[in-house]
Amino acid sequence: MAYTEPAFKHSLKINDYLCQGCTTCMRSCPTGAIRIRNGKAHVNDNKCVDCGECMKVCPHKAIYIKQDDFALIENYRYRVCLVPTTFIGQFEQKYKTKAIYACLKRIGFTHIYEVEHEVEYIVELYNKYIDQHPEINTFISPYCPAVIRLIQVRFPSLVDNIIKVRAPSELAALIMSNRLIDEGASPESIGIFYVTPCAAKIAAVKYPVSHKDTRIAGVINMDFLYNKVKLMLRDSDNDAEPVNHSLSTKDVLWPLPGGEASLFNGSHYAVDGLQNVLNFLERLEDEAVDAQGLVEMRICDQGCVGGVLAINNRFVARKRLEDRARLFDDPSRNTSRYTRYNNPEFCKWIDEQMEIPEIKPRSIYKLDDDFQEAFKMAERMKKIEKALPGVNCSACGAPSCAALAEDIVRGDANINSCIFLNRHSPDSEEIIRSIWGDHVKTRKTDNEKNNQ
Amino acid sequence: MHYTFDIERGNFADAGQASSSVKRTLKQLGVAPANIRRAVVALFEAEINAVAHAYGGTIDVDIDGSKIVMVVADQGPGIPDLDAAMQEGWSTASAKVREMGYGAGMGLPNIKKNTDDLKIDTKVGVGTTVTMTIYLA
Ligand SMILES: Nc1ncnc2c1ncn2[C@@H]1O[C@H](COP(=O)(O)OP(=O)(O)OP(=O)(O)O)[C@@H](O)[C@H]1O
Ligand SMILES: [Mg+2]
């Protein structure tokens, strides 16, 4: 029997109306999750890691991320905007952070809470985990959810290197709801809405690898919120009520490359960008790099400001966030942590909540659970690959000849799909249409049109 | 299943292709990660030795239902004192090779550690053939 896992959900979707089946996304996908059928891109649930690469390269803007209905916030009396500092990095320096937050309040939020409030404690959790696992040399940060999922499907031997701690957004939601409950709010009256810079972080809230409950009530795409704020932002907003900055400069810089590493005292590495992450994991798996300590990994180039929903050019946003972060270096700032962090019982509870019990490997390579069967399939696959032209033209609807060979042995495609091999076959027109749909241009359709 | 690869002299950048390809197949077969790692590490070390100390050569990999046999053969200078070469830290690597980050004298001991069977046929002036076997099940 072929290897299957219960269908895994992802947040990237294809708009069939806009998709032209141009293969750009399919060729860029790091897990080979996309195929063209009937002239449209299709995403395989088990393979997609929501890295967002397809969406970044799509020339037709046909890939989108489903978000929660913004009107959902109306269901709550306490409406918390849980916002990563990536968001304030999108705005020009002339707008103060409090001006941006004033707009968020005008839109309907009652509280603004930065995700990075809790990163100091997250690093403490990393340290605890590292101390408890002397048998592990290289610890991979769990911060970027696309990295976790990439490891599960492409580098399953490295799942145990991931620090099993949930995301700072989950901790921030937990602490913020506790703060409000301390002030007398009832749990049902609190709605915490997380503003996401990418697809992976939505998926991590909706389909968490921890399989644990979340205090996040909904997720809002960063580009959507940016547009709302940008439209109403006025110079006069700079005179808004001051916000209680308890973040430090380093906290603010967390989403940028090196953001985790800079809060971490031990030996550390910082890797960002899809290709760099792939190369590093590949080398790590082969034990070809001897990386001791913490490896921070973000799938997006320039970290979270490179997220597919972050609006501005990532280099501009990085500079803006760095400039803004300096303003947080105010010695008089209120550095008070949530008071209950002083309570060991509470911390014990938090630590339990923040634990990821297990990260399961979900190899996309394995052909079958049975070795002998997998062996036969691999042999067949090698033969088929030899017979294919090796030009990786993608006309079969798969990203490469090797991918087609794999689809064939898995029973998901047919050798006839290779238009290269079948170019003289009387069925070649039929084959092309089955993959590319009726609208695709071929010489025959052109001739038919001309004859009409 | 049989695979053949050529190894080019002095081409450190391309070294590793054979081990990547072997890794992909072993992943398809669902071989235990520890065994995949052992095969990749051993093959990579042997390949690098052929690049660094000999004049290139060939790699032959055979995978069957129970084991993987990897043969790395070169027509290089051979190893005059194999017992010494098998010792940790023993190396004749040139300054250039050391600059590339190799030459700690750990390759052969590492191969020994990661394989179930290791056979090295070497003759000075003729060449070296390293045969490595890992049992998969
Ligand atoms: N294929 C070969 N041809 C000729 N000499 C070899 C070959 N392989 C190994 N040797 C000799 O054996 C020595 C020890 O090899 P070994 O792989 O253990 O260490 P190294 O290659 O020098 O360093 P490292 O592998 O740690 O980068 C080499 O320095 C070289 O003198
Ligand atoms: Mg060596």
Side-chain angles (χ1 to χ4, degrees):
Chain A
M1 231 188 61
Y3 178 74
T4 47
E5 273 278 341
F8 188 87
K9 297 282 190 333
H10 56 90
S11 56
L12 287 159
K13 307 271 180 233
I14 312 279
N15 179 328
D16 273 352
Y17 181 72
L18 294 175
C19 177
Q20 307 289 308
C22 70
T23 76
T24 311
C25 59
M26 180 170 79
R27 289 155 171 272
S28 76
C29 176
T31 60
I34 303 177
R35 295 290 181 276
I36 311 288
R37 297 284 180 265
N38 262 313
K40 308 288 174 195
H42 287 265
V43 183
N44 179 317
D45 288 334
N46 285 319
K47 292 185 177 175
C48 175
V49 300
D50 276 318
C51 70
E53 194 63 19
C54 54
M55 191 168 162
K56 285 176 189 163
V57 299
C58 176
H60 305 290
K61 305 220 173 307
I63 301 179
Y64 66 100
I65 299 172
K66 228 176 147 247
Q67 65 175 343
D68 288 314
D69 185 359
F70 188 69
L72 267 180
I73 73 167
E74 308 299 338
N75 297 343
Y76 302 91
R77 174 149 170 234
Y78 299 91
R79 303 178 287 275
V80 180
C81 182
L82 183 62
V83 62
T85 55
T86 305
F87 186 66
I88 53 175
Q90 304 300 318
F91 294 88
E92 294 161 85
Q93 220 58 22
K94 67 171 185 175
Y95 296 114
K96 294 184 176 159
T97 301
K98 63 179 183 177
I100 299 165
Y101 291 173
C103 291
L104 288 176
K105 287 201 171 161
R106 242 182 290 151
I107 289 166
F109 291 106
T110 57
H111 295 76
I112 320 294
Y113 199 67
E114 289 106 339
V115 172
E116 289 73 14
H117 261 121
E118 256 52 67
V119 293
E120 207 184 318
Y121 196 75
I122 289 284
V123 174
E124 283 177 33
L125 289 173
Y126 286 2
N127 280 323
K128 270 187 226 174
Y129 189 90
I130 289 171
D131 287 345
Q132 284 160 7
H133 293 85
E135 76 286 3
I136 300 174
N137 275 326
T138 309
F139 292 88
I140 299 171
S141 154
Y143 174 62
C144 177
V147 168
I148 297 187
R149 284 163 63 189
L150 185 68
I151 291 173
Q152 285 182 289
V153 302
R154 258 190 80 163
F155 304 95
S157 69
L158 296 176
V159 288
D160 290 331
N161 295 76
I162 305 170
I163 296 178
K164 294 192 178 59
V165 170
R166 296 170 77 193
S169 50
E170 296 292 347
L171 180 57
L174 212 58
I175 297 295
M176 186 56 186
S177 62
N178 263 55
R179 281 182 194 256
L180 291 171
I181 290 166
D182 289 350
E183 287 168 21
S186 70
E188 316 79 60
S189 65
I190 304 170
I192 299 181
F193 291 82
Y194 172 63
V195 182
T196 182
C198 66
K201 290 200 169 77
I202 292 204
V205 172
K206 303 278 178 188
Y207 323 107
V209 69
S210 68
H211 295 285
K212 283 187 169 170
D213 290 344
T214 176
R215 293 281 175 100
I216 297 173
V219 183
I220 299 164
N221 290 352
M222 188 171 285
D223 56 349
F224 169 87
L225 201 63
Y226 172 84
N227 288 336
K228 268 183 171 292
V229 169
K230 182 78 191 169
L231 278 173
M232 63 167 63
L233 203 50
R234 302 276 172 271
D235 287 345
S236 57
D237 288 319
N238 281 330
D239 305 326
E241 285 273 298
V243 282
N244 191 3
H245 284 321
S246 59
L247 296 179
S248 72
T249 299
K250 280 188 175 178
D251 296 340
V252 174
L253 292 174
W254 172 275
L256 294 182
E260 282 162 271
S262 77
L263 285 172
F264 181 80
N265 288 328
S267 147
H268 51 70
Y269 303 76
V271 184
D272 65 309
L274 178 60
Q275 284 312 318
N276 297 333
V277 166
L278 287 171
N279 285 340
F280 200 97
L281 291 172
E282 199 81 51
R283 310 275 294 161
L284 209 54
E285 196 173 55
D286 297 348
E287 291 184 347
V289 286
D290 177 28
Q292 302 265 343
L294 177 72
V295 183
E296 168 197 305
M297 279 200 169
R298 279 89 182 275
I299 214 123
C300 294
D301 180 38
Q302 304 301 313
C304 298
V305 292
V308 70
L309 296 171
I311 309 84
N312 276 307
N313 175 284
R314 58 192 184 275
F315 300 101
V316 172
R318 178 178 184 162
K319 171 85 170 84
R320 284 179 176 175
L321 189 56
E322 283 168 350
D323 288 346
R324 205 177 274 277
R326 267 182 237 121
L327 305 174
F328 284 77
D329 200 16
D330 173 4
S332 68
R333 79 193 152 86
N334 169 11
T335 53
S336 72
R337 282 171 111 191
Y338 179 48
T339 48
R340 290 222 255 159
Y341 274 134
N342 298 328
N343 176 342
E345 279 301 305
F346 179 77
C347 287
K348 202 169 151 245
W349 179 77
I350 284 284
D351 294 2
E352 273 166 28
Q353 298 296 310
M354 288 303 292
E355 193 191 338
I356 301 174
E358 194 191 2
I359 300 179
K360 279 204 182 117
R362 304 189 280 120
S363 171
I364 50 173
Y365 295 105
K366 201 175 180 184
L367 293 169
D368 200 281
D369 282 337
D370 177 68
F371 181 86
Q372 297 307 333
E373 185 57 34
F375 189 80
K376 275 188 224 148
M377 287 169 81
E379 245 179 349
R380 235 188 106 212
M381 197 170 138
K382 199 169 168 245
K383 271 192 203 129
I384 295 168
E385 219 181 310
K386 264 212 180 115
L388 293 172
V391 293
N392 298 332
C393 67
S394 295
C396 60
S400 64
C401 294
L404 176 62
E406 184 174 337
D407 287 354
I408 294 170
V409 298
R410 286 186 190 274
D412 299 333
N414 190 299
I415 186 91
N416 284 341
S417 306
C418 180
I419 292 167
F420 224 90
L421 291 184
N422 287 286
R423 59 195 182 278
H424 298 307
S425 148
D427 300 329
S428 59
E429 283 290 324
E430 273 316 300
I431 296 168
I432 292 174
R433 277 179 216 215
S434 72
I435 304 164
W436 296 97
D438 285 330
H439 66 280
V440 75
K441 274 193 203 145
T442 64
R443 204 186 316 152
K444 193 164 156 205
T445 45
D446 285 352
N447 286 345
E448 278 166 6
K449 268 187 208 139
N450 292 343
N451 292 342
Q452 275 169 8
Chain B
M1 258 178 294
H2 186 88
Y3 298 82
T4 335
F5 306 88
D6 287 326
I7 311 170
E8 219 183 296
R9 176 184 194 177
N11 190 343
F12 287 91
D14 271 7
Q17 265 185 27
S19 41
S20 304
S21 168
V22 165
K23 181 161 126 184
R24 194 174 82 134
T25 303
L26 295 180
K27 277 187 173 183
Q28 286 166 351
L29 299 179
V31 168
N35 283 340
I36 298 180
R37 202 172 291 176
R38 289 165 65 211
V40 169
V41 168
L43 183 55
F44 187 73
E45 289 289 3
E47 187 181 359
I48 286 289
N49 278 353
V51 174
H53 309 299
Y55 322 128
T58 55
I59 300 177
D60 281 276
V61 179
D62 257 300
I63 306 173
D64 69 20
S66 63
K67 62 183 185 302
I68 173 167
V69 181
M70 304 176 285
V71 182
V72 179
D74 67 60
Q75 284 91 46
I79 307 173
D81 186 345
L82 187 57
D83 285 338
M86 291 306 294
Q87 302 300 314
E88 288 190 6
W90 199 89
S91 174
T92 63
S94 62
K96 200 178 144 241
V97 169
R98 281 173 202 274
E99 253 170 52
M100 311 276 314
Y102 301 104
M106 292 304 289
L108 289 173
N110 227 347
I111 294 173
K112 176 90 197 144
K113 215 167 46 199
N114 282 294
T115 50
D116 296 317
D117 268 332
L118 172 63
K119 200 168 114 227
I120 300 177
D121 296 309
T122 183
K123 205 165 170 194
V124 173
V126 178
T128 303
T129 301
V130 180
T131 306
M132 302 165 283
T133 305
I134 291 173
Y135 295 100
L136 300 175

